[in-house]
Amino acid sequence: MRMGGMPGSARLRDCEVLQKMTSKQAEEKRLYGAISAAPAVTLLPWGLLRRKKITCHPAFTDKLSRFWAVKSNIQVSGELTTSRGPGTSFDFVLSLVQQLFGESAFKEVRDLLLLNASEDHSIKEETNKVEWAVDHIPRVLIPVANGSEEIEVVTIVDILRRAKAYVTIASVEKSLHILASQGTKIIADMSIGMAAESTYDLIILPGEVAGFERLNKSKVLKKLLKDQESAGRIYGAICFSPALMQRNEEKKAMGQTSVINMLKSKMVDSARIVIDGRVITSGGVATVTDFALAIVSKLFGHARARSVAEGLVFEYSRS
């Protein structure tokens, strides 16, 4: 499977070992695929797109044959599966799950990630509106622990960095090397102790049960959050982690269904993202892109959020 992005796709293209592996995969009629820039930048020069309907990131569509190129978010053509970008990656991977394991596994994974649970909800609900914009590059802290949800960590960090925020990933563990909930390895920028020596405009907590429990044991993080709230600075959480924030009964919040009873906040179940003053919360993996873009919108404005969403090939809604 070829991941997209530049210059990564070009570096994949130049790897002879990878080219031989993928070519053999195609010759033997086994599944292969690519997303974002990789269909055009990697697979095309290898000659692996012949007589295949394909899609890719809009910025690279002009490299493809007009006859074979399509604009769909996901395209399956025989053994080849292609997709458009980070914003279509859920569709991409679920298609692969369906092809590899069948319809029941597809539905199981989709439901596990709650990808169909928020379709009837509005994107965002905001009360007690205040400005988040600052007169400098926003400094954002993302605390992580063993067991943190990697999709949430990577998506939030990626989108905020695309928007040109200064993002620090801080480990609450003794090591900077984090083993996330599905076995993905993440290397933090620094320890939470070192991070606590600085002030942040925004602190965002990723979720998942095991990660939440590890974050909840960090006295340094709890003090950071208490100071953040006392100073009137912005903070938020997603998935299980809203339960770790200061339990303000007057604040509205959103989180995983299983953490609702742990919160004293006024729970909202009609929107994917809830913003109450300087606090932002959301439900989990299925809403993380909207969650990160909502943060970008509050910090930088709708134009910046829309621009980032276009690069992701993700439909942005300001409401």
Side-chain angles (χ1 to χ4, degrees):
M1 203 54 52
R2 310 285 79 78
M3 298 300 102
M6 290 294 288
S9 293
R11 293 184 68 84
L12 291 176
R13 176 199 62 207
D14 297 337
C15 178
E16 293 182 5
V17 174
L18 181 61
Q19 180 179 357
K20 289 178 182 178
M21 290 174 60
T22 310
S23 297
K24 183 179 179 181
Q25 189 83 358
E27 290 169 5
E28 296 178 354
K29 303 293 184 182
R30 297 200 299 266
L31 297 182
Y32 65 106
I35 188 171
S36 193
V41 176
T42 309
L43 295 187
L44 180 62
W46 290 351
L48 298 181
L49 299 182
R50 295 190 187 99
R51 305 185 67 82
K52 299 285 188 183
K53 288 285 186 181
I54 57 226
T55 189
C56 73
H57 194 282
F60 297 89
T61 303
D62 60 351
K63 295 181 179 294
L64 303 176
S65 164
R66 291 186 179 181
F67 180 78
W68 296 105
V70 296
K71 293 183 178 180
S72 60
N73 286 344
I74 186 82
Q75 179 63 40
V76 179
S77 183
E79 306 81 32
L80 172 65
T81 302
T82 51
S83 191
R84 305 190 82 193
T88 66
S89 58
F90 280 134
D91 293 331
F92 181 61
V93 73
L94 285 174
S95 174
L96 296 173
V97 169
Q98 188 173 31
Q99 293 175 70
L100 287 167
F101 301 104
E103 186 71 18
S104 60
F106 160 79
K107 291 180 179 179
E108 180 181 349
V109 174
R110 182 196 62 190
D111 295 345
L112 181 66
L113 297 177
L114 303 176
L115 291 176
N116 63 340
S118 57
E119 293 176 355
D120 297 330
H121 294 175
S122 60
I123 299 292
K124 181 173 64 178
E125 178 176 317
E126 184 171 6
T127 57
N128 301 317
K129 291 185 179 181
V130 295
E131 290 294 325
W132 286 15
V134 292
D135 59 1
H136 53 270
I137 297 175
R139 293 174 56 86
V140 182
L141 178 66
I142 312 292
V144 294
N146 290 329
S148 288
E149 170 52 62
E150 49 264 80
I151 294 177
E152 293 168 3
V153 174
V154 173
T155 302
I156 294 167
V157 171
D158 177 270
I159 289 176
L160 291 179
R161 284 180 174 167
R162 286 173 188 257
K164 307 305 180 186
Y166 184 83
V167 182
T168 298
I169 306 172
S171 169
V172 303
E173 309 289 352
K174 293 180 180 179
S175 171
L176 298 184
H177 293 258
I178 296 298
L179 190 64
S181 64
Q182 301 304 313
T184 304
K185 296 178 181 179
I186 297 173
I187 302 177
D189 299 309
M190 63 181 68
S191 68
I192 194 68
M194 184 176 293
E197 296 175 4
S198 300
T199 299
Y200 300 90
D201 300 293
L202 170 65
I203 299 176
I204 292 292
L205 308 178
E208 193 49 73
V209 179
F212 156 71
E213 291 175 347
R214 301 288 295 177
L215 292 176
N216 196 36
K217 292 179 180 179
S218 173
K219 294 180 180 179
V220 176
L221 176 57
K222 286 184 174 180
K223 185 177 187 305
L224 272 171
L225 290 170
K226 184 177 181 180
D227 292 345
Q228 193 81 357
E229 181 183 33
S230 299
R233 293 190 295 268
I234 313 158
Y235 59 100
I238 189 169
C239 190
F240 289 89
S241 289
L244 195 149
M245 300 190 310
Q246 301 304 302
R247 298 173 181 179
N248 188 329
E249 296 181 5
E250 299 304 315
K251 290 292 183 183
K252 293 185 176 181
M254 174 64 176
Q256 279 276 16
T257 304
S258 54
V259 304
I260 289 177
N261 293 334
M262 300 170 66
L263 294 169
K264 293 183 179 179
S265 303
K266 300 176 181 178
M267 292 304 300
V268 176
D269 59 7
S270 58
R272 302 181 201 178
I273 297 104
V274 176
I275 303 173
D276 190 344
R278 291 181 173 83
V279 179
I280 182 168
T281 52
S282 190
V285 169
T287 63
V288 67
T289 303
D290 286 312
F291 177 71
L293 288 171
I295 293 171
V296 172
S297 176
K298 289 293 292 183
L299 289 173
F300 298 99
H302 290 298
R304 181 77 61 90
R306 188 178 299 108
S307 176
V308 171
E310 288 175 358
L312 298 171
V313 196
F314 184 83
E315 185 176 349
Y316 171 70
S317 174
R318 60 184 294 168
S319 60

